[in-house]
Amino acid sequence: MIRELIMKNRSYRRFDASVKPDPKQIERWIELARFSASGRNMQPLKFVVSTSEKINNLIFPNLGWAGYLKNWNGPSEKERPTAYIAVALDKSLAENYYCDDGIAIQSLLLGAVEDGFGGCIIGSFIKSKIAKTLQLPENLEILWMVALGKPAEKVVLETAEEGNIKYWRDEEDVHHVPKRPLEEIIFKSV
């Protein structure tokens, strides 16, 4: 079951804009992050949720989408995320979040996938503009944006050839994601 969820948990960049996750679902996904491991059990991450179409429209132009797809500027209006989560470090609690961000976001996204939704972790964004839009206090520093919605694209995993890990789309708009072979990532077994 966990393998199936991980295989379905892809970086979805196109969504069915007519389907919104329920705010209570998003709370349950964030609760999975809350129950996840945290360095020193500090729990310094905060989650700022937007399901508002007005706020989402202000967030969207401040995001970078799919750097390897040079001729694509992001999802069309009918394919945009219906929710966002800003994952922020509460600097009043800690200056270092260790690996909490990855653990928390993976837990959250696995919950979304289990409920038939999906997301994309976005690291390319204009932090100051999004913080202003979300009216964040100074102590919250946005680390990542997570776009959420009902996936409206097919994503296929395949084995990377000759070290080429750049994702791409074919003529039918299927998104291909090359992954390094297992024998390449296991350096040594003793």
Side-chain angles (χ1 to χ4, degrees):
M1 179 149 181
I2 189 70
R3 181 182 178 87
E4 183 180 329
L5 286 175
I6 289 171
M7 299 294 277
K8 284 183 180 178
N9 183 24
R10 308 303 350 132
S11 291
Y12 296 106
R13 294 176 178 87
R14 294 182 296 173
F15 303 91
D16 179 345
S18 69
V19 181
K20 290 175 84 169
D22 181 272
K24 289 291 183 195
Q25 281 179 305
I26 296 172
E27 283 183 15
R28 285 195 308 271
W29 304 338
I30 292 171
E31 189 169 49
L32 294 173
R34 180 175 82 91
F35 291 141
S36 296
S38 173
R40 299 173 297 149
N41 200 35
M42 187 56 61
Q43 306 166 58
L45 301 179
K46 300 286 193 251
F47 303 87
V48 184
V49 179
S50 173
T51 56
S52 159
E53 189 174 340
K54 178 183 171 186
I55 299 297
N56 290 352
N57 286 335
L58 294 172
I59 291 171
F60 182 80
N62 297 296
L63 302 172
W65 290 91
Y68 289 148
L69 304 178
K70 299 298 181 196
N71 297 323
W72 190 66
N73 294 322
S76 70
E77 199 167 322
K78 292 182 179 182
E79 297 177 324
R80 290 186 181 168
T82 52
Y84 291 102
I85 299 175
V87 180
L89 170 65
D90 185 343
K91 294 186 291 186
S92 70
L93 293 175
E95 289 296 318
N96 192 324
Y97 49 92
Y98 299 101
C99 59
D100 289 14
D101 55 338
I103 296 168
I105 296 170
Q106 175 82 338
S107 296
L108 182 154
L109 286 173
L110 288 172
V113 168
E114 184 178 48
D115 286 349
F117 288 88
C120 184
I121 304 168
I122 301 171
S124 175
F125 57 91
I126 303 172
K127 191 181 292 193
S128 60
K129 289 187 179 183
I130 294 176
K132 185 176 181 180
T133 296
L134 296 174
Q135 301 176 355
L136 298 184
E138 290 284 320
N139 64 301
L140 293 185
E141 176 189 348
I142 303 173
L143 305 173
W144 304 98
M145 292 298 298
V146 179
L148 293 165
K150 185 78 166 173
E153 67 180 332
K154 183 176 180 180
V155 178
V156 176
L157 294 175
E158 53 194 40
T159 301
E161 294 180 18
E162 299 177 20
N164 185 0
I165 48 82
K166 292 184 177 179
Y167 49 79
W168 56 283
R169 293 214 173 119
D170 65 23
E171 59 281 344
E172 294 176 15
D173 235 7
V174 174
H175 192 85
H176 294 261
V177 182
K179 295 293 187 180
R180 296 183 194 280
L182 187 60
E183 58 273 6
E184 186 178 316
I185 66 168
I186 297 176
F187 177 73
K188 189 179 196 179
S189 199
V190 292

